[in-house]
Amino acid sequence: MGAKLGHVVGGRARGGDDLVENHEINVTPFIDVMLVLLIIFMVAAPLATVDLGIDLPASAVEPSPRPDKPVFVTVKPDLSVAVGEDVIARDALTSTLDSATQGKKDERIFLRADKAVSYGDLMEVMNLLRNAGYLKIALVGLDGRS
């Protein structure tokens, strides 16, 4: 729809601007809205995948061969730590591992924990191992192969 402004003199519009009808859609606001929505979805999409509840399956892979004398660190349900069969204080973990591995920091440490041990407590023991210089840590689990 268009409108003509001005006054009519002799059947003809005089003075003012002649406005013609514009049959094109102004897409600039549409593009602005689409860009804002795109940014919102780009920010929100990674946040949507954080709270996924998953049930991890047991491993069906052939286990790698174990060394002749593996060093086991065990976290018991009461959160006590044992190296081999001996329960030790967490403060003595570094010295006990050094004597068990003859000071070889590149030896693999097999870490096992009871199901009742929380993830945070297990990570605390792993951090103690890393701080002691033992970076090769293998998590021990049940064999899920049938």
Side-chain angles (χ1 to χ4, degrees), residues 38-52:
L38 176 67
I39 291 170
I40 289 172
F41 285 122
M42 286 173 53
V43 170
L47 299 177
T49 60
V50 172
D51 294 329
L52 292 178

Side-chain angles (χ1 to χ4, degrees), residues 58-59 63 110-113 138-144:
S59 176
F110 291 90
L111 180 61
R112 56 187 176 186
L139 298 176
V140 179
L142 295 176
D143 189 8

Side-chain angles (χ1 to χ4, degrees), residues 48-140:
T49 60
V50 172
D51 294 329
L52 292 178
I54 57 172
D55 185 19
L56 295 175
S59 176
V61 176
E62 187 68 32
S64 59
R66 231 173 40 168
D68 294 334
K69 293 183 179 180
V71 178
F72 285 102
V73 174
T74 307
V75 183
K76 295 187 173 190
D78 61 354
L79 302 181
S80 61
V81 177
V83 175
E85 299 295 323
D86 303 322
V87 177
I88 60 166
R90 289 185 185 217
D91 299 338
L93 182 63
T94 303
S95 60
T96 307
L97 281 176
D98 287 341
S99 65
T101 61
Q102 287 85 35
K104 299 178 191 172
K105 301 283 186 181
D106 62 338
E107 188 169 334
R108 186 172 307 277
I109 304 298
F110 291 90
L111 180 61
R112 56 187 176 186
D114 192 85
K115 284 184 180 181
V117 175
S118 70
Y119 182 74
D121 293 324
L122 182 65
M123 286 302 298
E124 192 176 308
V125 174
M126 286 182 71
N127 287 333
L128 289 174
L129 292 172
R130 290 181 57 85
N131 291 338
Y134 295 97
L135 302 179
K136 292 185 176 181
I137 302 170
L139 298 176
V140 179

